[in-house]
């Protein structure tokens, strides 16, 4: 209630009656934080008397006055409502509603959101509902990675707080280098930290290429995040021998990661019969002797191996048995000699 003072001139009997108007406190609850780089400006509007109270969060009004709660932001509407930046420009504080009263907006450089008129029949607080909206970035892991011309499904952008966003990386990457070189999925990183493979969703291999068809990362939007997808370059390398795959190492080509070491092995001897065998001599690549002549070799695979054939070279050998008659002159000797090699049995013991 409010009152004032009345002066009565006592020149006869008088009766003074004091009349009061009931008033109620109208409050506006608008969020703010010292961590935010911007803020909403609260407003109260006395619709009955067409009077504004800029920056005010509470005022007294006569009973049955029509009032409205309002906020102004320094930007035009986004998602059809006012908004401000929070802790940084990757965090947005978004107006949602005036609880229980609804709202309407006024666009412009300084956007508004007003509650619908409220008839004051008691103390009233208009509470502004709001939410955080965070920024999600999705990028290729490095400049050397394939371009994200078709970005992982679940596009980068703005997402409401607590939204789970699925980012799906195709595997292998649809941008092939050639028929003998490709990109395979390597890892997801979230905010610079590799994501544990057990936390990813691996699709089945329906193409029979030894790779999951795609790999999905779920990002929980509790802040702004940056997701990076990494791929590894692979080369298709063939294994073969020069003896019709009697060594058993030949294949139809396998994919090998670039910048990694791989060990290849071939049997030292391949026996055709008790008297004929093949002996390993060297590895051949591009028609040249490769390695130290050992049947096991470790190679650092890089793009020069794209589509190449690593071949194990064998030499045919025949068994030579040296023995005496009578047999006790010298013990029997078994030797293996390369096909076409001339040997002199007189050199025997």
């Amino acid at each position: 209630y409010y009152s004032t003072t009345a002066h009565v001139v006592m020149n006869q009997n008088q009766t003074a009656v004091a009349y009061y108007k009931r008033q109620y406190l109208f409050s506006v609850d608008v969020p703010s934080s010292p961590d935010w780089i911007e803020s909403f400006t609260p407003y109260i509007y006395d619709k009955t008397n067409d009077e504004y109270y800029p920056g005010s969060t509470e005022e007294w009004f006569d009973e049955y006055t029509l009032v409205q709660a309002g906020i102004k932001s320094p930007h035009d509407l986004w998602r059809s409502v006012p908004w401000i930046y929070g802790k940084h420009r990757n965090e947005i504080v978004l107006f949602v509603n005036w609880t229980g009263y609804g709202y309407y907006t006024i666009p412009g450089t300084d956007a508004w959101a007003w509650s619908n008129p409220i008839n004051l029949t008691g103390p009233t607080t208009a509470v502004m509902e709001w939410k955080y909206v965070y920024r999600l970035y999705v990028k290729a892991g490095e400049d050397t990675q394939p371009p994200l011309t078709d970005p992982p499904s679940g596009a980068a952008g703005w997402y409401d707080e607590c939204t789970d966003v699925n980012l799906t990386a195709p595997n292998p990457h649809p941008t092939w280098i050639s028929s003998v070189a490709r990109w395979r999925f390597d890892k997801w990183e979230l905010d610079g930290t590799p994501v544990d493979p057990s936390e990813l969703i691996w699709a089945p291999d329906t193409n029979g290429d030894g790779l999951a068809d795609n790999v999905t990362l779920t990002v929980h939007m509790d802040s702004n995040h940056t997701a990076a997808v990494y791929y590894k370059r692979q080369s298709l390398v063939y294994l073969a021998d020069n003896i019709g795959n009697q060594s058993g190492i030949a294949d139809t080509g396998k994919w090998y990661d670039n910048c990694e070491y791989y060990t290849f092995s071939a049997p030292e001897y391949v026996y055709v019969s008790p008297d004929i065998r093949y002996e390993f001599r060297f590895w051949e690549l591009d028609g040249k002797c490769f390695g130290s002549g050992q049947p096991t070799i470790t190679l650092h695979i890089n793009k020069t191996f794209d589509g190449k054939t690593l071949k194990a070279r064998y030499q045919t050998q025949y068994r030579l048995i040296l023995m005496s008659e009578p047999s006790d002159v010298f013990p029997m000797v078994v030797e293996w000699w390369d096909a076409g090699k001339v040997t002199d049995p007189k050199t025997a013991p």
Side-chain angles (χ1 to χ4, degrees), residues 223-246:
S223 178
N224 63 296
H225 290 295
T226 298
V229 59
Y230 287 78
Y231 285 85
K232 268 190 174 291
R233 191 186 191 282
Q234 288 190 314
S235 298
L236 185 64
V237 180
Y238 301 88
L239 289 182
D241 63 23
N242 65 325
I243 54 174
N245 195 32
Q246 293 188 68

Side-chain angles (χ1 to χ4, degrees), residues 169-310:
N171 192 31
H173 194 277
T175 304
W176 280 59
I177 302 167
S178 69
S179 61
V180 292
R182 70 179 183 182
W183 298 98
R184 75 152 178 87
F185 172 83
D186 182 32
K187 64 180 178 180
W188 275 107
E189 279 189 358
L190 187 61
D191 301 325
T193 301
V195 179
D196 191 294
S198 65
E199 298 177 7
L200 302 174
I201 302 172
W202 299 78
D205 173 17
T206 62
N207 300 316
D209 57 5
L211 300 175
D213 288 357
N214 55 67
V215 185
T216 298
L217 166 68
T218 300
V219 182
H220 185 68
M221 295 303 294
D222 53 1
S223 178
N224 63 296
H225 290 295
T226 298
V229 59
Y230 287 78
Y231 285 85
K232 268 190 174 291
R233 191 186 191 282
Q234 288 190 314
S235 298
L236 185 64
V237 180
Y238 301 88
L239 289 182
D241 63 23
N242 65 325
I243 54 174
N245 195 32
Q246 293 188 68
S247 67
I249 67 168
D251 59 27
T252 57
K254 293 181 180 178
W255 293 97
Y256 297 89
D257 292 346
N258 285 187
C259 300
E260 299 288 346
Y261 286 92
Y262 291 91
T263 298
F264 302 90
S265 295
E268 185 174 6
Y269 299 104
V270 177
Y271 286 87
V272 180
S273 70
D275 299 317
I276 304 173
R277 74 179 185 184
Y278 299 107
E279 183 185 52
F280 178 87
R281 291 300 170 88
F282 59 87
W283 288 99
E284 178 185 280
L285 186 71
D286 283 342
K288 298 178 181 178
C289 177
F290 205 79
S292 61
Q294 298 299 315
T296 297
I297 187 173
T298 299
L299 300 177
H300 184 259
I301 301 297
N302 55 43
K303 63 183 180 181
T304 63
F305 283 79
D306 291 356
K308 298 297 177 61
T309 297
L310 184 63

Side-chain angles (χ1 to χ4, degrees), residues 2 10 42 57 60 63 160 176 222 290 318 320 335 338 340:
Y2 70 90
M10 294 301 298
T57 57
W60 290 91
E63 186 178 24
D160 292 351
W176 280 59
D222 53 1
F290 205 79
Y318 295 102
L320 173 63
E335 297 177 347
D338 292 351

Side-chain angles (χ1 to χ4, degrees), residues 23 28 38 64 69 104 140 142 167 172 176 194 250 283 294 304 312 325 345:
Q23 287 192 320
V28 177
E38 293 182 330
Y64 304 122
Y104 62 91
E142 298 170 345
L167 301 175
W176 280 59
W283 288 99
Q294 298 299 315
T304 63
E325 183 62 39

Side-chain angles (χ1 to χ4, degrees), residues 72-90:
K72 182 177 73 171
S73 73
H75 310 281
D76 200 354
L77 301 178
W78 182 65
R79 292 190 182 177
S80 302
V81 293
W83 61 279
I84 59 171
Y85 287 116
K87 296 179 183 178
H88 37 66
R89 294 186 182 274
N90 293 316

